[in-house]
């Protein structure tokens, strides 16, 4: 049964319904924006889902017992067959089903009954949110799903989830046993989702949430029913608490509250204070719950394996060892009733293994068959049952007729033992694939030091609190050598911080008053007082974790091959086994092979049956199902450790086929920090007044060139001020400019041209030639020659016109990144063609391209023109990657097959990209492409092994080579091979953890002595 308290944490998904590539305004929140990750990830196939139709209802079901894709397909088919069910999807890894149905024709219980009739345990997830609050945003819930063993189970669970009313997207990952469901809480609750999965025969539990008005607490100190009643009374009396649910068995308390009235920390303080310290309350971390669930699963599987092993060893000894030891052999020959002592012992021990320890296989197989599907459990149940029941029949036949045939009890016991060993090793190996998530989670400190202030802002107390209870606006004390508990701004103190674990930059970063700090980074030397600005799921670290999790749950298109094979695998194997049985039996009956081939005291039927059992148990669909998801999981984790964030398996698959890499110039190939190198005026205007005109016009622009112009003018006027030595990005405040900037009206930015505004009622134009010529401004030959000279040297010429007269020209230089030329040459050596597309003029673009070694250049391209340029490369079917960092790059990033955003770029650019480079280093472009190539090379090896294993193993098990080699594969050995095949695939994927980014010297063919 599903627990009454669910451990779901829900993350609001901003921008739901936004079409891909739409530019959305973002708030300017300072330097932290340079490392912010996307706030929402447009989920796969979101456009296909739409909203739930009127009159429809969506529920989710916890489905226990699914083991492979065939199971999930079976559950989905059972649900879709119900009259009134619009759609259904099943998530194998998360053991959940999602059903959308017409509530006027179908009831929740009908769905649960249908899944149970299909042979799976099911439970509809209850909805505690019945208090009537209005939730406008869609939520993203993460669920743990147990019982999935192959791609067929995944397909089944996803099918159920996607058909639930109110669910707009569902993704299930076999390797992590997790599922992410995006749903409308006003239509379907999280408990409905859990119930939908459980009704499909899988285990389900809600895992994590970032919902700001909900908290999951663990309460210690409850010793009696009176304590529970006191806790109940305290919660009922709390203003702002809307609803609570207490699971006494797990001592978990889920509280839904109004954040405008009360906060989570206040709830904890009131519970502990109201109980006079008897009750201790801690916030439940979703990641610790996931870890404990994994440990519990591996522990349970290990106990089953050990129990089966201890019972199987005596059976093996009785069969193999005892006949060679006279004393023990005489004991085994002692007759007790109609049977020998050895028969009684084997029957008793194997019956326990078969029906107690192996019960899980029968339950899962029965569910699959009742639902019209098949999976690995069906094969295991068939093979072990054939061996066991034949042995029982042989004993009974001998007791009644006196004709004793050999028994094969040890085959059944050893089969189950080896399968359990394989499952245990598989669980351990799959746990290793999520090490990257664990390392990221461990970066965040468990506690924080809160500075309590009085009304005057004076610190009156320091208290240690759970880091999950930090609120925006809290002032936190960060000691030397400790980690920053949340994103925020330094209020007091000075120190250096190590941000390498988050941004990939190894150099310590100076942190002073007003500096931005990132949660999870290490504070080195001095103490800091930090005001928290972002907490919970809004922090940079949480968004990195969320992005990696989402990527690990996504499916690469190549996975469709495994899904197809899984749907036909088991029926094909069973057919082969029957043909093997009939073939050998018929040949033996007609004397086609000599009787000497038969084992002692055996018959043609038993001889044939052993071949058939070996065929059934040696076939393994799990290896195919794990080939892709495990490799994608490891690759996304490795990428995160190398500063390359990948948004999914589909992005990985596309990146390994990249033929063209299109670079933006400013901020991508260049450092993005242009500086003014030359100023020349062409009228009697004073140099200072000229710069004031330029700065006033550009002050409202966010373009990097505009910031450089304003910074230069500010430095010119106030070079004695300390602030002039700082980067403009840290000093761009109104207070710095009041008093010297001119009043500007009718400002407008003209993409690809410059800016236009009015000062003193007269028009000011600041931009390129095109801007001035379009507005009828004549450019003197002297100015034209000067601009051409600037452009030929790789600089950008900015022309300034006032009252339709050119008054001056400024030259700006944006230095190339030191690695740009080497990266371009490295891409060429990898077989990738680099291209530069920029809005800058042709002379500057060609000068920069020549310096970095790019032959294909597209200049003076408007933002929309970048999209056209990318599409021109895509016309012949080539895969195109776009590397950029600015808002103007977002349409191109979205249009490219692979969008790669430099980490220092804006939120919009990162959201539109498939890859996010945390470091502002172009070498990571090579790392991203190389990692994708090595990942898919590993996936192909996994598929080759899984296919070759079945192609070779099944004929060997069927005895195809027996006439030539006289080699017969015993069923228990076949079972061991099957168990270890899936483990081998997972271990193969784990080899990606040894990935090292390519050395540029190797790519360039440089030998270093």
């Amino acid at each position: 049964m599903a627990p009454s308290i669910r451990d779901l944490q829900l993350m609001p998904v901003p921008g739901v319904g936004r079409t891909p590539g739409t530019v959305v305004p973002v708030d300017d929140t300072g330097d932290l924006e340079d490392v912010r990750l996307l706030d929402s990830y447009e989920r796969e196939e979101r456009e296909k889902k739409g909203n739930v139709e009127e009159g429809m209802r969506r529920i989710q079901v916890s489905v226990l017992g699914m083991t492979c894709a065939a199971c999930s397909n079976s559950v989905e088919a059972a649900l879709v067959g119900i009259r009134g069910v619009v759609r259904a999807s099943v998530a194998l890894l998360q053991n959940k089903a999602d059903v959308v149905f017409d509530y006027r024709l179908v009831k929740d219980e009908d769905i649960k009954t249908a899944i149970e009739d299909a042979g799976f345990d099911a439970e509809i997830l209850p909805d505690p949110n019945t208090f009537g609050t209005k939730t406008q945003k869609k939520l993203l819930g993460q669920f743990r799903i147990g019982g999935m063993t192959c791609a067929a189970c995944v397909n089944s669970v996803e099918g159920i989830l996607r058909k639930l009313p109110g669910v707009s997207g569902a993704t299930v990952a076999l390797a992590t046993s997790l599922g992410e469901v995006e749903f409308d809480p006003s239509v379907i609750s999280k408990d409905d989702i859990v119930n939908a999965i459980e009704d499909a025969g899988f285990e389900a539990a809600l895992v994590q949430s970032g919902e700001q008005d909900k908290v999951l607490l663990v309460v210690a100190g409850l010793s009696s029913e009176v304590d529970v009643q006191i806790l109940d009374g305290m919660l009922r009396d709390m203003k702002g608490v809307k609803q609570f649910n207490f699971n006494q068995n797990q001592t978990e308390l889920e509280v839904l509250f109004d954040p405008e009235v009360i906060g989570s920390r206040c709830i904890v303080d009131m519970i502990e204070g109201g109980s006079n310290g008897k009750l201790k309350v801690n916030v439940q971390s979703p990641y610790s719950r996931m870890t404990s669930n994994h440990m519990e699963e591996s522990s349970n599987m290990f106990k089953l394996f050990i129990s089966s092993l201890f019972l199987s060893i005596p059976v093996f000894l009785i069969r193999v060892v005892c006949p060679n030891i006279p004393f023990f052999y005489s004991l085994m020959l002692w007759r007790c009733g109609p049977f020998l002592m050895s028969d009684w012992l084997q029957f008793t021990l194997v019956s326990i293994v078969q029906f107690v320890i192996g019960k899980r296989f029968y339950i899962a197989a029965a569910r699959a068959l009742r639902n019209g599907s098949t999976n690995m459990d069906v094969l295991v149940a068939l093979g072990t049952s054939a061996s066991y029941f034949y042995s029982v029949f042989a004993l009974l036949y001998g007791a009644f007729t006196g004709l004793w045939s050999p028994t094969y009890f040890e085959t059944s016991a050893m089969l189950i033992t080896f399968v359990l060993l394989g499952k245990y090793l598989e669980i351990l190996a799959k746990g290793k694939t999520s090490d990257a998530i664990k390392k990221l989670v461990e970066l965040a400190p468990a506690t924080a030091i809160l500075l309590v202030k009085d009304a005057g802002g004076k610190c009156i107390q320091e208290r240690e609190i759970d880091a999950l209870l930090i609120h925006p606006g809290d002032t936190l004390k960060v000691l030397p050598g400790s980690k920053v508990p949340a994103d925020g701004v330094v209020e007091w103190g000075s120190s250096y911080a190590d941000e390498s674990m988050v941004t990939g930059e190894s150099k310590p970063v100076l942190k002073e008053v007003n500096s931005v700090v990132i949660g999870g980074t290490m504070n080195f030397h001095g103490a800091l007082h930090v005001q928290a600005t972002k907490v919970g799921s809004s922090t940079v670290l949480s968004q990195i974790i969320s992005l990696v999790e989402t990527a690990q749950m996504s499916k690469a298109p190549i996975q469709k091959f495994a899904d197809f094979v899984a749907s036909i695998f088991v029926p094909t194997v069973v057919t082969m086994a029957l043909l093997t049985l009939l073939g050998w039996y018929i040949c033996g009956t007609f004397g086609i092979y000599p009787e000497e081939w038969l084992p002692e005291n055996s018959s043609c039927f038993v001889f044939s049956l052993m071949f058939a059992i070996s065929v059934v148990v040696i076939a393994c669909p799990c290896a195919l199902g794990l080939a892709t998801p495990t490799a994608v999981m490891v690759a996304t984790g490795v990428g995160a450790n190398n500063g390359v964030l990948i948004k999914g398996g589909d992005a990985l698959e596309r990146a390994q086929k990249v033929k063209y890499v299109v670079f933006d110039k400013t901020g991508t190939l260049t450092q993005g920090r242009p500086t003014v190198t030359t100023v020349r005026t062409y009228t009697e205007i004073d140099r200072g007044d000229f710069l004031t005109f330029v700065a006033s016009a550009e002050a409202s622009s966010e373009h990097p060139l505009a910031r450089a112009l304003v910074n230069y003018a500010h430095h010119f006027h106030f070079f004695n001020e300390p602030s002039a030595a700082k980067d403009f990005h840290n000093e761009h405040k109104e207070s710095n400019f009041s008093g010297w900037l001119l009043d500007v009206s009718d400002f407008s930015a003209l993409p690809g041209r410059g800016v236009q505004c009015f000062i003193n009622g007269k028009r000011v134009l600041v931009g390129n030639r095109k801007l001035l010529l379009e507005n009828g401004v004549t450019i003197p030959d002297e100015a034209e020659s000067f601009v051409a000279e600037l452009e030929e040297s790789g600089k950008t010429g900015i022309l300034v016109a006032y009252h339709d007269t050119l008054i001056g020209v400024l030259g700006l230089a944006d230095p190339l990144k030191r690695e740009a030329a080497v990266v371009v040459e490295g891409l060429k050596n990898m077989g990738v063609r680099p291209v530069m597309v920029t809005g800058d003029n042709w002379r500057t673009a060609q000068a920069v391209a020549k310096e970095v070694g790019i032959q294909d250049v597209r200049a003076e391209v408007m933002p929309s023109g970048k999209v056209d340029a990318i599409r021109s490369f895509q016309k012949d079917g080539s895969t195109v990657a776009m590397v950029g960092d600015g808002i103007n790059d977002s349409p191109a990033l979205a249009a490219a097959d692979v969008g790669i955003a430099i980490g220092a770029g804006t939120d919009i650019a990162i959201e539109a990209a498939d890859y996010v480079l945390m470091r502002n280093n172009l070498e990571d472009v090579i790392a991203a492409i190389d990692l994708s190539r090595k990942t898919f090379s590993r996936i192909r090896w996994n598929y080759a092994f899984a296919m070759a294993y079945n192609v070779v193993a099944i004929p060997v098990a069927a005895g195809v080579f027996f006439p030539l080699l006289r080699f017969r594969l015993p069923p228990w050995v076949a079972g061991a091979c099957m168990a270890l095949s899936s483990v081998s695939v997972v271990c193969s994927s784990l080899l990606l953890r040894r990935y090292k980014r390519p050395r540029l010297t190797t790519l360039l063919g440089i030998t270093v002595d």
Side-chain angles (χ1 to χ4, degrees), residues 375-393:
N375 56 23
M376 186 201 73
D377 295 308
V378 173
L379 297 178
V380 174
L382 275 176
T384 57
S385 297
S387 176
Y388 176 84
F389 287 110
Y390 166 76
S391 300
V392 172
F393 174 79

Side-chain angles (χ1 to χ4, degrees), residues 264-266 268-269 272 281-283 445-452 461-472 474-477 485-486 532 535:
S264 56
R265 187 167 70 234
C266 183
V268 171
D269 292 342
E272 293 183 345
V281 183
N282 295 308
V283 180
T447 60
I449 300 176
L450 175 67
L451 299 180
V452 182
Q461 180 188 359
E462 292 184 6
R463 55 174 295 201
E464 189 174 30
I465 64 171
D466 193 309
L468 297 174
L469 295 176
I470 298 174
H471 294 168
D474 285 345
T475 300
L476 309 171
K477 184 177 182 179
V535 299

Side-chain angles (χ1 to χ4, degrees), residues 972-991:
W972 65 271
V973 176
C977 294
M978 182 269 286
L980 295 177
S981 63
S982 58
V983 177
S984 300
V985 167
V986 178
C987 291
S988 171
S989 296
L990 286 174
L991 291 176

